[in-house]
Structure formats: structure tokens, C-alpha cells
Amino acid sequence: MTDNIPLQPVRQKKRMDSRPRAGCGEWLRCCGGGEPRPRTVWLGHPEKRDQRYPRNVINNQKYNFFTFLPGGFVLAVTIIREAVEEIRCYMRDKEVNSQVYSRLTAREINMRDWDFTELTVQQGIQTGTVKVKSSSIQVGDLIIVEKNQRVPADMIFLRTSEKNGSCFLRTDQLDGETDWKLRLPVACTQRLPTAADLLQIRSYVYAEEPNIDIHNFVGTFTREDSDPPISESLSIENALWAGTVTASGTVVGVVLYTGRELRSVMNTSNPRSKIGLFDLEVNCLTKILFGALVVVSLVMVALQHFAGRWYLQIIRFLLLFSNIIPISLRVNLDMGKIVYSWVIRRDSKIPGTVVRSSTIPEQLGRISYLLTDKTGTLTQNEMVFKRLHLGTVAYGLDSMDEVQSHIFSIYTQQPQDPPAQKGSAPTTKVRRTMSSRVHEAVKAIALCHNVTPVYESNGVTDQAEAEKQYEDSCRVYQASSPDEVALVQWTESVGLTLVGRDQSSMQLRTPGDQILNFTILQLFPFTYESKRMGIIVRDESTGEITFYMKGADVVMAGIVQYNDWLEEECGNMAREGLRVLVVAKKSLAEEQYQDFEARYVQAKLSVHDRSLKVATVIESLEMEMELLCLTGVEDQLQADVRPTLETLRNAGIKVWMLTGDKLETATCTAKNAHLVTRNQDIHIFRLVTNRGEAHLELNAFRRKHDCALVISGDSLEVCLKYYEYEFMELACQCPAVVCCRCAPTQKARIVRLLQERTGRLTCAVGDGGNDVSMIQESDCGVGVEGKEGKQASLAADFSVTQFRHLGRLLMVHGRNSYKRSAALSQFVIHRSLCISAMQAVFSSVFYFASVPLYQGFLIIGYSTIYTMFPVFSLVLDKDVKSEVAMLYPELYKDLLKGRPLSYKTFLIWVLISIYQGSTIMYGALLLFESEFVHIVAISFTSLILTELLMVALTIQTWHWLMTVAELLSLACYIASLVFLHEFIDVYFIATLSFLWKVSVITLVSCLPLYVLKYLRRRFSPPSYSKLTS
């Protein structure tokens, strides 16, 4: 019986004309198909034929080229997208590797291969410079790096063109700090007359093995051809790391490390191919569907009692029910991702946003941890001097003119005898005037720093002339900290201007254009451990020696003389978000300084415990210093950082700040940005160096609740080494975490630990080259285009121009992308399961026969032109307006549980598919039992209408393209009925009987679902329904 099932419709009316049918019939006829006609055959003359006949080929294949198009399209879309992104990455690498540099050489060079730009001959040796690509640079090469040029490899600084014998580096792409770093050349090579002389001496550099530490370096420079041989120790001050940029002068260096041994490369993790959590969940559901396919096939064969060649029957059923696995799911999701990316780029409220990885937009909708850089990401890295506090009086921005008048009055009243002349007594009992106090404070700020004024040609004034005349319009301040630049710029604004500086002297200009000369005797730079910097200067006009110092209040409180206002005012200024520095001074007698200098030099020459001995000698001066003032500098936040962080917090996202900056600066920014709210305590994790200290500090931290954590990179390293699980458990409970002095690899490790310990999605945001590892390690990386270049932006999955755009990117686009993809994937699965359920019912009714219900174009058309457009239009659906999503970030919190696509929702759609497939099939059998030959036409039409109605049921906000997709798909189906005469009887579908029976079946399959949807919204509405009403 099963072999005689009439599956093709029987034509009830004979056509009165013999004209061929148009459209599909013409195509079939040209291939030897079409309607059978009588024929006359001439014996032995096959060329005498009045029509084309089919080739004598037996074809039992189920598929052809066109049936494989959907699968091929899926693969092509995926391959092309990955290829385009890889080509873009290759082009960016090629651009960097092709940058040209000058190399000093003394070898015989083939003139055809090299472009000589300079040629000198010394002692019979030909020397010169040749142009080389960055990729051709080798260890041992002497490379010339011009001003504003990127350092191509890790080098030791040998020479500079700067008169002061030093240069500044921009290290923002390495450590994320836009502060310029001072670098010193090797003294032996700097003294050589010309750069070409480097090739005439016999010398070598001994360097430590390559490692990831960008803040330290140990090595020695040895010159063998001098008598005696010269040996100099090398430190980080002599190192030029690859990726940094020279900010002043032309430098010459010898290459130490290249390629994968570069500090910057070793601090960058290998980029991984990111697969979204959503894609993994879909893959899991697909595996379940495959299991269902195998189970259904086995059940069908088992119900046949494994009769005959049952193993072949299993294969036939596997092919018959292969629609259970939706092949079109992947291509629908990939095309949906392309649409999401296009929508993000076109959003006028986040201009300049770029989607560099179109594979993971759904990740944006499920972020639990946001890890952000500080400098340039949360802040603009533009320091503004806001407050000068003298204890009894404070000057703000609105009263700086008073400070200016005080300085002016001091220098105009005593032009010949400036107030620098205060004698050598350590303190004075005489009550000084307010002008004198203000002047002492301003002068201390103008002298106690590491800032160098640089004069550049402005097109009108020559550079040498500008430097000679101290031309204001040509002066630029270079320093290793933007705080110091802000302080020096402020002293200039109130009348005391830093106009010159070299290694041993400094010049200040007064309001009366008088130049004050100071000799720099000693300089004690700022370190993370000391939290302060100091300088000893001698006033050339009076011979007075003064020790100036500035630093954090926590260390300066024990250094300055007793007072009753320092702690209170520091707290007040910190609460305003200002970075507070305490400034103090101490006058030294000549004998006192000479004694100090002797002990200091001796300590610097010691081999063992050198740093400890040096610190001890300096501390001998740091006692009973005179407190001059407090300074308050603000690192201005980026626009709308505070409301953005508040939005993220309300959305259930925990924010961690990972920065390479100092602890005090990071803590201050965290307070200023309201990363730490006013009612939250801050636990500053004490510096620990061993397991015991870490254990004690962790126990102290464990006793605190609802407390933000601030920890340094060194302490973090110790904690992760001995107590990784305990530390991460405590840190994840904190409302906010600040990690300062973090190396790039530490940032990436923190991201990785969060992923492993919590299983939640992470998003990393940064703007510098030091953030690339963190960005690439996170589930979703966002780069901010800013002053630190585009390295982070190019390496990220998404690129924004401002931090505040992150709120809309997550709350609106992330949320929509996830919910749309969830609806789209479940509907594509429903579409496949529905037709599979019909096939199962059909086979079951007819004695478990492995005969297909639909064949040929019906199967292809069902998942393409008939339902593709309405189903794909779900990528335009949204439950709430974007303004509502931004106003109520709590809506985002619901997505963190993954409810839009879960096993529960999957099971609901499976049950819906089984119900509708069974209803359509049994309804067709019940209503058409006397006209069974039309079952294909009736059931297939009901199936198409059901799918279109189900899309309409799923849509929450109608878009005009959705309406077009519904009507277009219906029109395509109706129009194609004319050409589907092989499968459907065109005459029968025009009858009233066909129409009302199809309507009843469709109504029974869809109406209960509409009723359930209404009842659910009536008695158990979703969270967003109240907002949209």
C-alpha cells in the first residue's frame, strides 16, 4: 500500500488547447520535460524529430545544484566575512612594518640596493646612513629616530641632538599614560663629536633576557678601546621601547630586541577568534535537534519492528527528517548581525561608532563586568589647576587674579632685592605678610618639578632666536606628568614663568621681566614607593640653598612641621575630586648641604642595598619641613562619564577600573567619576610582598562589606600567586574595583580570571596600546579613539569616539541585538520543526512509510521565498523605544539571566511546532479524506499561512518593512501557484471548498496561540509592558 500512495495532484479538467504552459513549463520543456505528447519516430533517423526528448540517463538523486545553494550561501557568507576582516588586519600590519628609518652603517654597500642620504669617511672607513624598512631592522643595528617618529624596536639610547642631553618619549601606546617620560643617553656615547663616531669605537651592550616588565631594565654598556675600559650601568632611563614616540630631538639607539621579543609584543596576548555566547547556545540547541533527529528516525524504524533492511530505512528517515536541523539558521543569524552592525554605524546619537567584528553584536546585550582604562577613557587627560590653599586662605579659579596681584606687588615693590633673599635660618618667627606667603608658595611650585620648556619655530620666529629671547608664543612644556605641566602653566599665568632648564640649571622670569637663575644641585624624582619628589636648588643671586618637596598628603603629613589644618583640608579637596599635592620647603646651610652630598654620593656608589641606603640619606633631610601650601588639580572627566557609569550600575553591570597610573590618582578619579558612590567605603589594599602579608590583608578586607577595593599591581600579583580563588571571590562581591599600576598582561589576566571564575561576559574599554591585550581577551572589546592613537580602536570589536556612547551601545543596540537574534533563531527552528512534525504525522498515518510529503521546489521555496522575508524582518523588531531603554537601564538587567533564549523558551517553541504541524496534517486528513490527492496543496498552503501569521504574532513593534515582507511573501506564493502544476492542482485551489477548509485549519493552528498571548499579557505582563503603555 505504501508504494502506491498518490502524491501528485490529479487534474480534473482536460486542457482544451495544446499550447504549452508559460513560465516553468518552458524551462522544463527545454530540458526535455513538459507535458507528454504523441510522437512520430523515423527508423534510423534520430535527427528527424519534431520535439526534444530527454537524455537516456537514469537519475535517482534527490538533490541538484539549486537545492545545495542555501548551504553554499551559508558557507560563502561566513568565509567572505572572515576573509575581509583578516585582510584588513594584514593591511594594518603591513603599514607598520613598511615604515622607513635611517640606519648608520660602515660597510661596503651596493649603491643599487640602498638610498644613501649621508656619506662620511673617517679613518679610511666609509660611514653613512641608509634607508631600511622597519621589518628589516636587526639586533645590533644603529637606528636614527626623528622627532615624532615611532621607535621601531627595543633600543638603548646612545645619542640625542638636544642641547640638554636628554629627550622625552610619549609612551601612551605602551603603558596608557600620556605623560612624557624623560630618557637619558649613555654618557660615554653622548660625549662623542658626531653620530658617525659610534662606528669607530669598539663597544658592546650586555642586556638582560627579554621579559614583559616595561618599567624596569638592567644592563651594562662597555667601551673596550679606551684606557681604562669604560663601563656604565644601564637602567630604564636609557631604554627606548618599541611603540613609543620621540617627542623631542633626534635620537640614535642600538637595537636590543626585535619581533616577538619586544616588550610591547610580549605584553600583548595573541588575538583569539571570539565566538559569542549566543552562538554557543544556538550550537547547543542544534545538537539537541540532531539528537531528536536520530531518536525520531529510530522510533520510526522500531515501529516497523526493524523489518527487512532496517539500517537502510534508518538512513532514509534521517534524510526524510533532516529538516529538523535548520540549515538556514546560520545564514539568517549572520545576515542579522550584518543588519545590527549597519544600524549601529548609522545611529546619529553615537556618531563615529565603528563595528570591526560583526560576529558578536549580541554580546553587547549580556555584559556583567565592564573593565575600563582611566587615562583618556574616563578622563580627558587635561589637567586644570583649581585650588591653592595656604591654611588660612584658599584661592579658587575665580580669585586667581588676587594671587597675580600679590606676585606683582612683591616684584614691583622690591625690584632690586627680590624676596628670594630669606637668609639661611631653617624657620622664621616673624609673621610674614600674605603677599610673601603667596610668593613663597608660587615660587616653590615653579621650582619643584621635572618640567622642561622647549622652544619651537612658529613660522615667524626662528627656533634659536625664540630660545634666546624666551619667546612665549614658541614655548611648549615637556614633562613626565600632566599634573606638573598644569602647575607650571598656572605659575606662568600668575606671573612667575619657567623659561629655561637643562640638567643643572633653571631660569624663572618675574612679572618685571627679570630672570632669576637657579642651579639644580640634586633632583629626587617621584616614585610609586615614595609618593613624593624633591629638588635642591641654589639661588644664583643670593647663594641660598633650598630643599623643596611636594607629594601625597599621606607621606607629607609626617614630614612637615605640626599643623592643625592639613588633614582636614586635604580631605575636603579630595572630596571635590581634586588631586591634592602638599608643598613644603627647607632652607639649608652650605655646610649642611655639603655633608648631605657626601653621604648621598657614598650611598649611590654602594653595591648592596643601594636603593635603601639612598632613601635613608634623603630621609635625613625630610624632617621639620615648612608647610607652604596645598595644590588642587583636576583631571577633567570626559563628557557624561558620571551618568554613564550610573546607568551601567543600574543595569546590573559591575565596573572595574584597570589603570597604569598611580594609586592616589586612580582613587581620586574613581571618586570624581562616582565609580565609588558617596556612601561607599574604600578599602585601599596595603602593599604586600609575601604570602603572610597577603593572608593578613585579605582577612582584613574580608571583614568589610559593601566596600570598594583599591589595589596596586604588585599586591595583586602576590594575591593571585598565593590566594587566587579567595581574592577573586572577595573582589567579585565588591561594588567597584580599582587596580592601579597594572601592566598590560595583568589587565588581560584579570579579564581571563573574571571569565573563568564567574562564567559571565566581560567588556573591556580602553584607548591606548597598553589596553590591546585586555580588549582582545575580553568577550567584547571596545576601543575609544582619543589622544593615545588608534591602536586600541583598531584592535577592538567596536570603536567609539567617547566613553558616554557606551551606554547607548549596550542599553539600546546590545539589548536589541540579543533579543532580535533570540526571536529570529527560535522562529527559524520553529519553521523547520513545524514541517518535520507534519512529515512525522504523514509517515505515521501511512504505516511509517519513508516517503516525502513535499518534494522539489516546495521544500526549497518554503524556507526561502515563501517565509524568508517575514522571518528575517524580525531583526527590525523592538519591544521598547530607545529612549525608554536608556531611561530604564533596569530592563537590561533582565537579559543577564539569558531568558530570551533558554531551554525553557526552546521547549515552548518545540511544543508549538509539534502542535501546529500535527493540527495542519490531521486537519488536512480529516477534511480532505474524500479528496486525498489534494493533500499537498491544502496542507502546504495552510503551513505557509500559519508561518506568516506566527511572524505577525511574534512582532511587538511593527515596521513598514515588516508589512511589506508579509504581503510580498504571500503574493509570491499565490503567483508561484501557476508554475507549481507538478505539485499542486491550479484548478482545485480556486474552489470555495479549498478556501474555507484551509482557513479553518489555519485558524485552529493559530487562534489558541493568539488567545494565550492575550491572556499572558493580561495577567502576567513582561517588565517593559508598563513602560510602553
Side-chain angles (χ1 to χ4, degrees):
M1 176 177 178
T2 59
D3 294 330
N4 297 316
I5 296 174
L7 297 178
Q8 303 299 327
V10 177
R11 292 172 179 78
Q12 294 178 325
K13 297 182 181 180
K14 185 177 181 182
R15 292 181 62 86
M16 300 303 295
D17 58 347
S18 59
R19 290 177 297 171
R21 295 188 182 187
C24 188
E26 293 289 342
W27 181 81
L28 288 167
R29 194 179 297 102
C30 76
C31 297
E35 293 184 14
R37 291 192 297 170
R39 67 191 69 187
T40 301
V41 181
W42 293 82
L43 280 66
H45 294 279
E47 72 278 1
K48 293 183 178 181
R49 58 178 184 263
D50 56 356
Q51 58 180 299
R52 291 186 64 181
Y53 303 118
R55 294 174 61 212
N56 190 33
V57 175
I58 296 174
N59 188 353
N60 290 317
Q61 298 167 23
K62 181 179 178 182
Y63 300 104
N64 56 35
F65 171 77
F66 296 99
T67 56
F68 277 105
L69 273 180
F73 185 59
V74 174
L75 291 174
V77 168
T78 305
I79 291 172
I80 290 172
R81 188 192 65 236
E82 293 292 336
V84 167
E85 291 183 359
E86 195 64 22
I87 289 171
R88 286 176 180 169
C89 186
Y90 166 76
M91 295 303 292
R92 291 197 296 266
D93 291 342
K94 184 179 178 182
E95 182 182 352
V96 174
N97 292 329
S98 299
Q99 291 180 354
V100 177
Y101 294 85
S102 297
R103 182 178 70 188
L104 282 174
T105 181
R107 293 176 295 177
E108 290 291 338
I109 305 296
N110 189 332
M111 300 297 286
R112 292 174 299 177
D113 296 337
W114 302 100
D115 173 25
F116 273 82
T117 56
E118 181 186 339
L119 191 65
T120 60
V121 177
Q122 293 185 2
Q123 300 178 7
I125 300 176
Q126 180 177 280
T127 61
T129 60
V130 295
K131 297 294 185 183
V132 292
K133 288 184 178 180
S134 177
S135 56
S136 302
I137 291 174
Q138 300 176 8
V139 173
D141 283 347
L142 294 172
I143 301 298
I144 299 173
V145 184
E146 304 290 342
K147 182 180 178 181
N148 292 326
Q149 197 173 20
R150 184 184 70 90
V151 178
D154 288 352
M155 305 194 301
I156 288 299
F157 185 13
L158 299 178
R159 283 185 61 82
T160 178
S161 61
E162 291 289 279
K163 293 180 181 179
N164 59 12
S166 64
C167 86
F168 280 95
L169 281 185
R170 293 202 295 268
T171 62
D172 45 22
Q173 295 301 321
L174 188 65
D175 58 15
E177 297 182 42
T178 51
D179 317 346
W180 292 1
K181 306 296 190 298
L182 183 69
R183 291 293 182 262
L184 303 174
V186 176
C188 170
T189 52
Q190 179 65 23
R191 288 194 297 266
L192 295 174
T194 65
D197 291 316
L198 289 169
L199 298 166
Q200 314 304 321
I201 64 174
R202 193 166 79 250
S203 58
Y204 63 87
V205 172
Y206 172 79
E208 62 184 349
E209 73 280 359
N211 60 68
I212 65 173
D213 191 351
I214 60 175
H215 299 295
N216 293 292
F217 173 74
V218 176
T220 57
F221 176 89
T222 304
R223 180 177 178 179
E224 291 187 331
D225 58 353
S226 64
D227 189 22
I230 298 174
S231 184
E232 292 187 32
S233 63
L234 302 177
S235 67
I236 187 64
E237 288 186 335
N238 311 111
L240 307 174
W241 298 143
T244 58
V245 177
T246 56
S248 62
T250 300
V251 304
V252 181
V254 59
V255 176
L256 287 185
Y257 310 113
T258 55
R260 63 175 180 271
E261 294 181 345
L262 296 174
R263 289 292 206 273
S264 56
V265 173
M266 295 180 76
N267 273 285
T268 304
S269 56
N270 292 325
R272 62 187 181 95
S273 180
K274 295 184 181 179
I275 302 175
L277 177 61
F278 179 83
D279 291 326
L280 294 175
E281 291 173 344
V282 169
N283 290 345
C284 186
L285 297 182
T286 305
K287 292 173 186 176
I288 294 174
L289 291 174
F290 176 76
L293 167 64
V294 174
V295 169
V296 171
S297 301
L298 288 173
V299 168
M300 286 293 180
V301 174
L303 291 173
Q304 289 181 340
H305 306 293
F306 295 98
R309 291 188 292 180
W310 57 270
Y311 48 88
L312 292 180
Q313 283 293 94
I314 289 178
I315 296 174
R316 292 187 69 181
F317 276 118
L318 286 173
L319 294 173
L320 196 62
F321 292 115
S322 60
N323 284 321
I324 288 178
I325 300 176
I327 299 175
S328 61
L329 177 58
R330 178 51 54 195
V331 72
N332 273 280
L333 289 176
D334 283 349
M335 290 174 65
K337 294 173 194 286
I338 293 172
V339 172
Y340 308 148
S341 302
W342 182 82
V343 170
I344 291 173
R345 285 195 299 267
R346 291 288 299 250
D347 191 342
S348 60
K349 294 187 178 179
I350 49 173
T353 302
V354 179
V355 181
R356 302 194 188 278
S357 176
S358 59
T359 58
I360 54 171
E362 298 91 356
Q363 299 278 78
L364 293 171
R366 305 174 69 180
I367 301 299
S368 295
Y369 288 92
L370 181 82
L371 301 104
T372 176
D373 181 38
K374 179 190 74 70
T375 309
T377 304
L378 294 178
T379 66
Q380 300 179 27
N381 205 39
E382 291 181 359
M383 305 299 171
V384 178
F385 190 95
K386 285 292 188 74
R387 187 76 52 82
L388 177 72
H389 205 298
L390 300 178
T392 55
V393 63
Y395 298 96
L397 284 178
D398 54 348
S399 55
M400 289 303 173
D401 54 337
E402 294 181 33
V403 178
Q404 192 172 8
S405 65
H406 283 307
I407 299 296
F408 187 78
S409 66
I410 285 286
Y411 285 100
T412 53
Q413 287 173 7
Q414 304 174 22
Q416 303 303 321
D417 188 19
Q421 195 168 356
K422 291 293 178 184
S424 58
T427 59
T428 177
K429 303 293 183 179
V430 182
R431 181 179 177 85
R432 293 176 297 172
T433 64
M434 182 55 67
S435 293
S436 177
R437 291 180 61 197
V438 170
H439 170 260
E440 280 297 328
V442 173
K443 189 173 75 167
I445 296 169
L447 288 172
C448 187
H449 54 71
N450 204 2
V451 180
T452 303
V454 176
Y455 294 86
E456 299 178 347
S457 173
N458 61 1
V460 179
T461 310
D462 179 73
Q463 181 173 343
E465 183 67 21
E467 190 168 344
K468 185 178 179 181
Q469 300 296 329
Y470 297 136
E471 195 73 41
D472 287 346
S473 60
C474 304
R475 184 171 50 249
V476 177
Y477 292 118
Q478 294 180 343
S480 59
S481 169
D483 300 57
E484 295 206 309
V485 173
L487 292 172
V488 172
Q489 286 175 338
W490 175 77
T491 63
E492 179 184 357
S493 70
V494 296
L496 208 53
T497 307
L498 174 70
V499 292
R501 180 178 183 151
D502 54 27
Q503 297 285 74
S504 59
S505 66
M506 199 184 312
Q507 292 78 39
L508 299 181
R509 186 172 63 196
T510 68
D513 284 337
Q514 179 188 1
I515 302 297
L516 305 178
N517 291 294
F518 296 88
T519 302
I520 301 175
L521 300 177
Q522 299 292 345
L523 179 67
F524 314 118
F526 182 94
T527 64
Y528 172 59
E529 292 78 17
S530 68
K531 298 183 178 64
R532 58 191 182 272
M533 77 148 295
I535 188 170
I536 301 178
V537 297
R538 186 199 305 270
D539 189 335
E540 290 297 312
S541 63
T542 64
E544 177 190 357
I545 300 174
T546 310
F547 175 33
Y548 290 106
M549 176 167 282
K550 67 180 180 186
D553 58 311
V554 288
V555 294
M556 295 295 288
I559 292 174
V560 299
Q561 296 169 347
Y562 173 78
N563 62 86
D564 57 359
W565 59 273
L566 176 62
E567 184 179 353
E568 181 182 355
E569 294 304 332
C570 282
N572 292 337
M573 292 169 70
R575 277 188 287 274
E576 295 179 36
L578 301 179
R579 298 161 73 153
V580 183
L581 285 175
V582 180
V583 183
K585 80 164 199 173
K586 185 176 188 178
S587 295
L588 302 176
E590 184 69 35
E591 300 78 17
Q592 192 178 359
Y593 171 72
Q594 294 299 335
D595 175 62
F596 165 80
E597 185 182 34
R599 290 185 290 118
Y600 185 65
V601 170
Q602 188 66 34
K604 287 176 72 175
L605 289 175
S606 61
V607 178
H608 302 292
D609 298 326
R610 178 189 299 176
S611 58
L612 180 63
K613 292 178 180 177
V614 168
T616 304
V617 173
I618 297 174
E619 285 174 7
S620 67
L621 279 186
E622 298 172 343
M623 291 183 295
E624 291 296 308
M625 297 189 71
E626 180 185 350
L627 175 59
L628 296 178
C629 65
L630 305 182
T631 62
V633 176
E634 182 183 36
D635 185 359
Q636 292 188 314
L637 296 174
Q638 294 225 11
D640 295 333
V641 161
R642 290 168 183 161
T644 301
L645 288 174
E646 185 179 359
T647 297
L648 296 174
R649 260 199 310 272
N650 293 338
I653 299 174
K654 290 189 175 182
V655 183
W656 288 30
M657 188 169 80
L658 313 181
T659 176
D661 217 333
K662 299 185 286 289
L663 186 142
E664 289 77 18
T665 309
T667 307
C668 187
T669 302
K671 292 177 181 176
N672 196 18
H674 294 175
L675 177 64
V676 179
T677 58
R678 292 182 182 275
N679 55 354
Q680 283 176 349
D681 291 330
I682 296 180
H683 178 80
I684 298 180
F685 206 89
R686 193 168 53 86
L687 187 64
V688 296
T689 55
N690 55 54
R691 183 169 188 161
E693 292 177 355
H695 181 74
L696 292 173
E697 192 64 18
L698 280 172
N699 284 339
F701 178 46
R702 193 188 301 274
R703 290 190 288 269
K704 298 190 177 181
H705 301 285
D706 193 33
C707 179
L709 172 66
V710 179
I711 186 170
S712 68
D714 296 335
S715 299
L716 177 69
E717 196 68 33
V718 175
C719 290
L720 294 181
K721 182 178 179 180
Y722 298 111
Y723 299 104
E724 180 182 294
Y725 177 80
E726 292 83 356
F727 174 79
M728 291 303 298
E729 183 184 23
L730 290 172
C732 290
Q733 295 171 3
C734 294
V737 176
V738 177
C739 297
C740 58
R741 286 296 178 194
C742 269
T745 47
Q746 276 186 320
K747 293 185 178 185
R749 187 181 178 190
I750 292 170
V751 172
R752 189 161 55 249
L753 285 172
L754 273 176
Q755 293 168 338
E756 293 170 357
R757 296 295 179 190
T758 66
R760 300 296 183 92
L761 293 187
T762 59
C763 175
V765 190
D767 67 322
N770 66 315
D771 302 316
V772 169
S773 294
M774 171 177 73
I775 285 171
Q776 292 180 336
E777 187 64 42
S778 65
D779 298 295
C780 183
V782 180
V784 181
E785 289 187 17
K787 294 181 180 179
E788 297 188 22
K790 290 190 175 183
Q791 192 171 344
S793 169
L794 294 173
D797 305 305
F798 302 89
S799 171
V800 296
T801 55
Q802 295 183 50
F803 182 83
R804 65 190 176 101
H805 291 169
L806 199 62
R808 186 173 178 86
L809 189 65
L810 297 181
M811 300 301 114
V812 177
H813 295 290
R815 186 173 183 276
N816 285 342
S817 298
Y818 176 46
K819 289 184 74 74
R820 289 166 175 173
S821 286
L824 178 63
S825 60
Q826 291 176 138
F827 210 94
V828 172
I829 291 172
H830 162 265
R831 185 175 65 186
S832 300
L833 287 176
C834 203
I835 195 170
S836 299
M838 293 175 65
Q839 177 67 58
V841 171
F842 177 77
S843 297
S844 301
V845 169
F846 293 101
Y847 303 96
F848 312 106
S850 56
V851 178
L853 173 59
Y854 305 123
Q855 297 184 11
F857 185 78
L858 290 183
I859 287 290
I860 299 172
Y862 170 68
S863 58
T864 54
I865 63 171
Y866 298 151
T867 60
M868 182 179 73
F869 298 117
V871 171
F872 188 68
S873 70
L874 290 173
V875 301
L876 301 173
D877 193 19
K878 57 183 179 182
D879 54 355
V880 295
K881 293 180 179 179
S882 58
E883 294 80 11
V884 175
M886 288 296 295
L887 191 60
Y888 298 98
E890 292 78 10
L891 293 172
Y892 186 91
K893 195 182 296 186
D894 293 341
L895 304 187
L896 301 181
K897 300 171 183 175
R899 287 174 178 169
L901 182 68
S902 61
Y903 290 119
K904 177 183 176 182
T905 57
F906 171 70
L907 182 61
I908 290 172
W909 278 100
V910 169
L911 295 175
I912 290 173
S913 304
I914 293 173
Y915 164 74
Q916 290 186 324
S918 303
T919 299
I920 294 170
M921 199 68 246
Y922 279 118
L925 292 172
L926 180 66
L927 297 178
F928 291 83
E929 56 185 24
S930 59
E931 301 167 332
F932 177 70
V933 289
H934 301 133
I935 192 171
V936 172
I938 303 309
S939 61
F940 192 74
T941 304
S942 300
L943 178 62
I944 297 297
L945 292 175
T946 297
E947 287 298 320
L948 297 181
L949 288 172
M950 283 300 293
V951 172
L953 175 67
T954 305
I955 291 173
Q956 299 178 48
T957 304
W958 281 86
H959 189 280
W960 66 271
L961 283 175
M962 294 175 172
T963 307
V964 170
E966 290 269 329
L967 296 177
L968 181 64
S969 297
L970 186 60
C972 286
Y973 177 64
I974 294 172
S976 66
L977 290 175
V978 179
F979 309 110
L980 298 176
H981 53 83
E982 280 190 68
F983 312 106
I984 296 174
D985 189 349
V986 180
Y987 302 102
F988 172 70
I989 62 174
T991 63
L992 188 62
S993 174
F994 170 84
L995 294 175
W996 78 260
K997 290 178 179 179
V998 165
S999 301
V1000 169
I1001 293 173
T1002 305
L1003 200 63
V1004 172
S1005 68
C1006 294
L1007 186 60
L1009 298 177
Y1010 273 87
V1011 173
L1012 287 174
K1013 180 180 179 180
Y1014 171 78
L1015 293 176
R1016 183 167 178 264
R1017 289 199 169 184
R1018 181 77 173 80
F1019 298 105
S1020 180
S1023 57
Y1024 58 81
S1025 60
K1026 297 177 182 178
L1027 306 177
T1028 55
S1029 60

